[in-house]
Amino acid sequence: LKPFSALDWAFAGTSSSSIGSPDADGTAVAHCEWRHWIDDRTEKPEDVVDEGKMYPIEGDDGPRSLEKGSMVNPETGRLTEYEEIWRDVEAVAISDREDGEGVVGGDEDEEDDEVEEVGTAEEGEEEEEKVSAVLILDEPEQRARGMVIRIGQYCQGVLRVKGEFSLERWEWMGEEKGWERKVRMGSLFLPCGPAMDVLGMEVGSQVRHGDFRWEVVELDYF
């Protein structure tokens, strides 16, 4: 469990991109926008302006993307220019495992009956396909929003309930070690386990924990 003082920024939402005019060198530049649905810095994430231009560059270990843009600096409240470098990572297919097998870093006091999964998977799924899954929690009356996303060998999630915030990040470390939790902040429950073990789930399935119901809104095999 890490302190929030180690966190720069955590958010979840949707993104969109479009190809703009070429730069001075004739390189095609993409304009990207990120629409925040959850944000650790604010309870009004829709007000966040997060957009920039992506420039392809070469890194020591392959192609990267240089993001240039401007946004409000939370420390000064002023619109400030910024630069970030992104690296694309290839998603990895993971073989199906028995429930709970290959998980490192789970809570010792977590009971098996805390999570209830509803729904059945379609027959004929190939075991070695890559998986992407999205689960969301949206409870406006309780001011609760959460999102857990798994793509291949990575799974991470964020959750805000009123003024409380939690996050987790997991990574598949291979057949010998299985899933390993890399980061956890906060004490709220996040259904990363069901997202990592999607057997028996389909779009519309729900994961229940206490008064909250998380719904599977995306589940793709590719």
Side-chain angles (χ1 to χ4, degrees):
L1 188 66
K2 290 189 176 182
F4 278 98
S5 59
L7 176 66
D8 180 23
W9 200 5
F11 59 86
T14 59
S15 65
S16 61
S17 61
S18 59
I19 303 299
S21 302
D23 61 11
D25 298 326
T27 302
V29 177
H31 179 265
C32 299
E33 295 183 7
W34 292 266
R35 295 176 177 84
H36 296 199
W37 192 62
I38 311 167
D39 193 311
D40 78 297
R41 295 178 177 177
T42 176
E43 291 191 50
K44 297 181 179 180
E46 294 85 356
D47 295 341
V48 176
V49 178
D50 189 2
E51 58 183 322
K53 293 184 177 180
M54 308 293 283
Y55 298 83
I57 60 175
E58 286 296 326
D60 295 336
D61 56 350
R64 303 287 183 96
S65 294
L66 172 63
E67 177 190 344
K68 293 184 178 182
S70 59
M71 63 177 301
V72 175
N73 186 320
E75 296 182 357
T76 64
R78 297 179 179 178
L79 194 64
T80 306
E81 294 184 352
Y82 70 89
E83 291 186 358
E84 294 177 344
I85 294 180
W86 297 84
R87 175 171 60 93
D88 289 336
V89 178
E90 184 70 22
V92 173
I94 298 173
S95 60
D96 293 336
R97 304 175 71 90
E98 295 296 328
D99 187 23
E101 182 182 354
V103 176
V104 179
D107 296 329
E108 295 181 357
D109 59 350
E110 184 173 321
E111 298 179 1
D112 293 338
D113 60 355
E114 286 186 328
V115 180
E116 174 187 341
E117 297 182 19
V118 182
T120 57
E122 296 180 1
E123 296 182 358
E125 300 288 4
E126 296 183 9
E127 293 185 355
E128 295 301 324
E129 288 182 312
K130 301 172 185 177
V131 176
S132 66
V134 179
L135 292 80
I136 65 169
L137 168 72
D138 189 11
E139 299 282 354
E141 293 183 356
Q142 301 190 55
R143 290 165 53 199
R145 281 185 178 182
M147 183 178 293
V148 170
I149 298 176
R150 175 193 166 183
I151 300 180
Q153 69 275 33
Y154 297 104
C155 181
Q156 59 187 30
V158 294
L159 171 62
R160 174 182 286 281
V161 179
K162 299 178 181 177
E164 192 172 358
F165 195 88
S166 290
L167 63 89
E168 289 189 19
R169 177 180 174 86
W170 294 74
E171 183 177 351
W172 175 259
M173 304 304 294
E175 291 291 339
E176 184 175 344
K177 293 185 177 180
W179 287 98
E180 182 176 308
R181 187 169 61 199
K182 296 297 186 179
V183 178
R184 181 185 179 188
M185 296 181 183
S187 59
L188 299 173
F189 169 81
L190 285 155
C192 291
M196 292 184 290
D197 180 16
V198 296
L199 295 177
M201 297 178 66
E202 60 185 7
V203 172
S205 295
Q206 293 184 343
V207 178
R208 182 175 180 177
H209 181 80
D211 295 332
F212 292 148
R213 288 180 180 268
W214 294 75
E215 182 177 351
V216 180
V217 295
E218 294 183 27
L219 181 58
D220 294 309
Y221 298 86
F222 59 100

